[in-house]
Amino acid sequence: MTEHGEAQCSTLRDRAARLQHDHRYDALRPLPRRRALVVVALGAIAALSGTLWLAGSAWLAALLWLVAVAGLVLLRRVVRETADLPDDALDERLVAVRDSAYRTAFATVAALCVAVLVPLWIAVDGFDYTVTAGNLHALLWAVILTTLTLPSAILAWTERDL
Amino acid sequence: MSRNEVEAVRQRWAAVFDDPGLAWARSRSRRRALCVLHWAVIGAVGVAGWLEPTLAWGLTGVGLLLVWFATYWLLSLSTRGVTEGPDTVLDERQRAERDHVHRRAYRVVLWMAMIGFVASWAVFEAAGVPVEGRQIGQLGVAALLLLTTLPTALLGWAPREGRDDD
């Protein structure tokens, strides 16, 4: 490994170590509160997608977007950024826990895409449902925000000790 | 599940996925060739659907789907079913490999969604191209075909240290 690479790894490990001893978000770490946070964050994403799909109020969409992003940031902090740190910054157990969360997240995103795209395809092809650019953007926003949030949400929902 | 049942599942799994007769499909170059063919078929579904939305319903569509499934099945066999295997039939190294490749696939999905968002905004908002529902539907089908087999294809593409047959 180059000198620069080693320095980068060391910085990442230092960051991971700091996160392990970060007590600023302890109030949100008991399991019921973490799960409530997951429900709020994913609920905000669902409501935002619905609002954009139906071309609802721009103010409501902006508010829901803020709640969803705040939920994403808090979830990442509550799980000590475990889902986002690279292998070098985590021990073997945490790498296994993180990768397992990603497998669950992948299956969930794939199932959600099937659940949304197949009925939409049938509606468009069989019943001449009109899709607008706003509908497309609502779908893509939902996929982007859900994909960013889900791994940390799964860790927050399932991990006993954080 | 009793120990005997677990053992029976393992043996059935090994009979399908560890078949020495499939050694020809396990070399890195052949796995990569299968990946290229697999992704090319998905690309063809998307392009055919975009250019002529009704085409994908006809013989062309069925033919492409058959090739898609055949290449997916061969990729699955050539990677010993690692991405689909339940915990009971995989060893610790294979489970780690399976979960790790799902993480990589997840990142690919995130990038695809971001690129899709920018492209959709550029085409439909900035350039003002009218949205044709059937074309979007066919792109959705191509996205689903890619998504459902992505971990297996990525594992087929990746070099496998000490396990490549060439």
Side-chain angles (χ1 to χ4, degrees), chain A residues 4-156:
Chain A
H4 175 69
E6 275 175 24
Q8 209 171 17
C9 272
S10 167
T11 312
L12 278 170
R13 276 195 291 270
D14 289 348
R15 178 168 171 73
R18 272 202 310 278
L19 286 166
Q20 288 303 317
H21 299 100
D22 181 4
H23 297 291
R24 279 179 295 173
Y25 301 92
D26 280 357
L28 286 170
R29 288 206 169 102
L31 192 58
R33 289 186 189 171
R34 272 189 271 142
R35 289 187 169 179
L37 189 56
V38 169
V39 171
V40 169
L42 295 180
I45 294 170
L48 172 63
S49 312
T51 307
L52 291 173
W53 184 277
L54 300 169
S57 154
W59 286 106
L60 179 62
L63 179 68
L64 288 167
W65 188 85
L66 281 176
V67 174
V69 172
L72 163 64
V73 171
L74 282 173
L75 277 171
R76 281 176 55 136
R77 291 302 164 104
V78 162
V79 299
R80 303 181 194 280
E81 296 185 19
T82 304
D84 302 288
L85 287 169
D87 289 2
D88 294 330
L90 300 171
D91 62 32
E92 208 174 321
R93 187 191 76 83
L94 282 177
V95 168
V97 166
R98 180 201 63 188
D99 288 354
S100 173
Y102 270 97
R103 189 165 68 94
T104 309
F106 185 88
T108 309
V109 167
L112 282 173
C113 285
V114 171
V116 171
L117 286 176
V118 171
L120 183 63
W121 186 38
I122 292 169
V124 164
D125 219 56
F127 301 96
D128 287 330
Y129 179 81
T130 309
V131 178
T132 65
N135 293 156
L136 274 182
H137 295 161
L139 274 182
L140 287 164
W141 262 121
V143 174
I144 291 169
L145 284 173
T146 307
T147 311
L148 285 170
T149 308
L150 214 47
S152 294
I154 288 166
L155 287 172

Side-chain angles (χ1 to χ4, degrees), chain B residues 155-166:
Chain B
L155 191 61
W157 185 266
R160 310 184 79 201
E161 267 176 56
R163 279 163 280 146
D164 274 335
D165 294 342
D166 61 350

Side-chain angles (χ1 to χ4, degrees), chain B residues 9 11 17 33 37-38 42 44-45 53 71 81 85 87 92 102 108-109 123-124 128 132 134-135 140 156-157:
Chain B
V9 171
Q11 282 175 3
F17 288 104
L37 181 58
H38 186 71
I42 294 170
V45 169
T71 49
D87 285 357
E92 201 177 336
H102 274 89
V108 172
V109 170
V123 171
F124 299 120
E132 171 61 58
R134 288 191 164 192
Q135 289 175 330
W157 185 266

